[in-house]
Amino acid sequence: MSSAKIQSTHRERLAYVYVRQSTPWQVIEHRESTERQYNLQERARDLGWPASLIDVIDEDQGRTGSTAAHRSGFQRLVTEVGLGKVGIVLMLEASRLARNNSDWYRLIEICGLAGTLIADESAVYNPREPNDRLLLGVKGTLSEAEVFTLRTRLYEGRWNGTKLAKGCYSSRYPQASCAVRMGVGKWIRMRKFEND
C-alpha cells in the first residue's frame, strides 16, 4: 500500500507512531486500542518505511491529551518534527495526539513547515495541501468538542436529578446541618442530614 503524497524524501526520514491512552485504567482495560495503535508500525512498513526507521513514542501512556505540558512524548515528537527528522507521524486518531486545538494546530503547522506527513489508519495527509490541512483541522476540532461533550455529560449527570439538586443530599461523612438559599436574601435552615 502506498500513497502518491509520500515521496522518497519522506521515506528517508523517521516514521513516528504515537501511542497514548488517557488514563492508567484505560491502558489496563482497553488493551485492544493500545494494540491497534502499536499495529500502526505495520502501516508504516506498508507505506514504504523500513523497520529501522520506524520509532514508537509511547511514554505518554496513561496521560491525558488535554495539554502537552506533562507529555514528554508529545513534546519530543514536536521537537523531532521541527528539526526535520520525521517524514511521517502515524496516529490512530487525532485525539491520540492532542485533545485541544492549540497543541493540535501547532503540530499541524510544524509538520507543514518541515514537510512531515500525518497518517491514521485510513489516510495520509499532507499539511502543506489546503484540503488535507482543512481535514486535519476538522479532526482536531471534533476531538476537542468530544472532550467538552463528555465533560459536560459527566458534570450534568453528577448534578442533575441528584439529591443535591433536589435539596436532599446526604453523604457518608458525619451528620451536619446547613442553610439553603431560597431566593434573594432568603435562607432557610435545613434539618440534619441522615446517612443513607
Side-chain angles (χ1 to χ4, degrees):
M1 177 192 322
S2 189
S3 172
K5 296 175 185 178
I6 302 172
Q7 305 299 315
S8 60
T9 55
H10 294 117
R11 290 189 181 100
E12 293 168 357
R13 297 182 281 162
L14 292 168
Y16 270 144
V17 175
Y18 188 78
V19 177
R20 184 186 66 79
Q21 294 280 36
S22 298
T23 65
W25 179 83
Q26 286 179 339
V27 173
I28 295 166
E29 294 296 321
H30 298 158
R31 291 189 178 132
E32 300 83 13
S33 176
T34 302
E35 185 177 324
R36 280 179 59 208
Q37 292 179 65
Y38 279 109
N39 287 340
L40 289 171
Q41 293 173 85
E42 183 63 36
R43 172 128 165 85
R45 283 190 288 278
D46 291 346
L47 291 172
W49 268 264
S52 62
L53 289 179
I54 299 170
D55 194 6
V56 175
I57 296 179
D58 59 2
E59 63 245 40
D60 294 340
Q61 283 282 58
R63 296 184 181 154
T64 181
S66 62
T67 179
H70 302 289
R71 292 189 298 139
S72 60
F74 183 79
Q75 292 171 8
R76 179 166 63 103
L77 172 68
V78 170
T79 300
E80 295 291 309
V81 168
L83 292 172
K85 296 180 179 181
V86 182
I88 193 168
V89 174
L90 294 103
M91 65 192 173
L92 192 58
E93 57 197 28
S95 65
R96 295 301 103 210
L97 283 167
R99 284 283 196 178
N100 70 57
N101 279 336
S102 62
D103 292 339
W104 178 242
Y105 282 109
R106 180 175 56 138
L107 178 64
I108 292 171
E109 182 66 25
I110 293 170
C111 284
L113 292 170
T116 300
L117 303 173
I118 298 174
D120 56 23
E121 287 182 307
S122 60
V124 175
Y125 307 94
N126 183 346
R128 290 182 170 177
E129 294 180 11
N131 287 338
D132 285 0
R133 194 176 185 102
L134 177 65
L135 285 171
L136 288 168
V138 168
K139 286 177 178 275
T141 299
L142 290 173
S143 174
E144 187 175 58
E146 182 181 44
V147 168
F148 177 78
T149 302
L150 290 172
R151 197 174 290 147
T152 301
R153 283 184 189 157
L154 288 170
Y155 178 79
E156 293 298 324
R158 189 177 338 158
W159 298 109
N160 283 345
T162 63
K163 290 180 179 182
L164 182 59
K166 296 173 188 172
C168 302
Y169 177 74
S170 66
S171 74
R172 297 172 289 181
Y173 301 104
Q175 295 182 2
S177 62
C178 72
V180 177
R181 189 174 186 156
M182 300 298 290
V184 179
K186 297 180 183 176
W187 292 81
I188 63 167
R189 188 130 177 100
M190 298 290 290
R191 65 178 170 78
K192 288 187 177 185
F193 296 124
E194 300 296 326
N195 291 336
D196 285 339

